[in-house]
Amino acid sequence: MGFVEVKKLMNFRKSTFDDVDRILEIIEKAKIELKKLGLNQWQNGYPNREVIENDVKNRISYVLEEISEKDGKSKNQSSKKIIGTIVLSPKKEAPYSKIEGKWITNDDYIVIHRLSVDSEIKNKGIATKILEFSEEECIKNKILSIKTDTHENNEPMKRFLEKNGFSYCGVIYLDKEPDVGEKRIAYEKIIKIPHKLF
């Protein structure tokens, strides 16, 4: 039997409605992980299919695919699997205008929501890879500020954000059901790029 080399490539793209089931599968696994941490984040039915479908419809949902290409004597075979997802929203968030603290900038910004990686692929830098691709999308849109928020007790997410260059900015309170009034820790990152790109 001949040696078959498997190449793994990454493809970051906008989500389609065909991706919704897989995105939900990844998010459902993430809900289980959050519950194990004792967090009430994502434990009340959110995000659900309607939320994910709206993200896709508004063209703010992205997925990271892992493409495995097999090179053998037979024809090249490739398989694709979605391993992570994120929402990149350019809309201004009302709770972000009432921060208890101070943002780094008051410029246009992209908000990260629903960043989630297949829990079966842990500690492989996939979330960081999604973030890198997201920053490239921001640069394409000439927006250099990324903002996000997380549950005050979600220590893994807080560590991940700080490790990837986000700065703690303060506290915000959510304004949408089912989490109206919930406290969240707010972060911002300024993307540093060569001026020549503008």
Side-chain angles (χ1 to χ4, degrees):
M1 198 162 105
F3 174 73
V4 177
E5 184 185 359
V6 179
K7 292 181 191 167
K8 294 206 170 177
L9 307 169
M10 297 285 185
N11 180 41
F12 187 73
R13 60 171 174 81
K14 286 200 172 178
S15 309
T16 70
F17 285 106
D18 289 340
D19 301 324
V20 171
D21 285 347
R22 176 60 180 154
I23 292 170
L24 276 169
E25 188 182 333
I26 289 170
I27 282 174
E28 288 305 316
K29 288 180 184 176
K31 288 179 180 181
I32 293 167
E33 295 296 311
L34 288 167
K35 189 172 186 178
K36 283 181 190 170
L37 291 171
L39 300 177
N40 64 2
Q41 192 174 4
W42 289 8
Q43 299 302 308
N44 48 18
Y46 169 94
N48 55 22
R49 180 175 293 275
E50 184 184 356
V51 170
I52 304 307
E53 287 180 347
N54 274 332
D55 291 342
V56 175
K57 186 170 76 176
N58 293 323
R59 298 185 57 74
I60 57 174
S61 173
Y62 293 78
V63 291
L64 182 65
E65 287 177 318
E66 185 177 72
I67 303 169
S68 299
E69 292 187 343
K70 293 179 184 174
D71 292 329
K73 287 187 177 176
S74 58
K75 289 180 184 173
N76 281 0
Q77 297 173 303
S78 70
S79 61
K80 296 179 182 178
K81 185 179 184 183
I82 292 170
I83 56 174
T85 182
I86 195 170
V87 165
L88 302 175
S89 174
K91 283 189 177 176
K92 296 281 189 285
E93 304 261 339
Y96 283 22
S97 66
K98 301 170 189 165
I99 188 169
E100 290 178 359
K102 187 171 172 38
W103 295 112
I104 300 169
T105 72
N106 292 312
D107 298 334
D108 289 344
Y109 58 87
I110 295 280
V111 180
I112 289 175
H113 287 303
R114 296 182 273 293
L115 170 59
S116 196
V117 173
D118 188 336
S119 61
E120 289 174 24
I121 312 168
K122 285 185 174 176
N123 305 318
K124 295 209 174 157
I126 303 301
T128 296
K129 190 59 71 178
I130 291 172
L131 202 53
E132 288 168 2
F133 282 119
S134 299
E135 289 183 16
E136 288 172 19
E137 287 297 313
C138 294
I139 291 167
K140 280 183 204 167
N141 290 289
K142 298 191 174 181
I143 296 175
L144 298 184
S145 164
I146 304 179
K147 294 180 179 179
T148 194
D149 61 84
T150 193
H151 192 285
E152 63 181 320
N153 296 323
N154 191 339
E155 298 303 330
M157 188 62 175
K158 283 154 69 175
R159 280 196 302 270
F160 166 76
L161 291 170
E162 287 164 14
K163 181 182 165 190
N164 283 281
F166 281 79
S167 298
Y168 167 82
C169 292
V171 171
I172 58 119
Y173 295 89
L174 302 181
D175 67 343
K176 289 191 177 74
E177 293 292 352
D179 296 313
V180 173
E182 285 277 320
K183 177 181 178 182
R184 291 291 182 266
I185 307 302
Y187 290 86
E188 183 176 10
K189 179 178 182 178
I190 307 305
I191 305 168
K192 295 179 174 61
I193 59 164
H195 291 296
K196 65 184 179 184
L197 290 183
F198 281 79

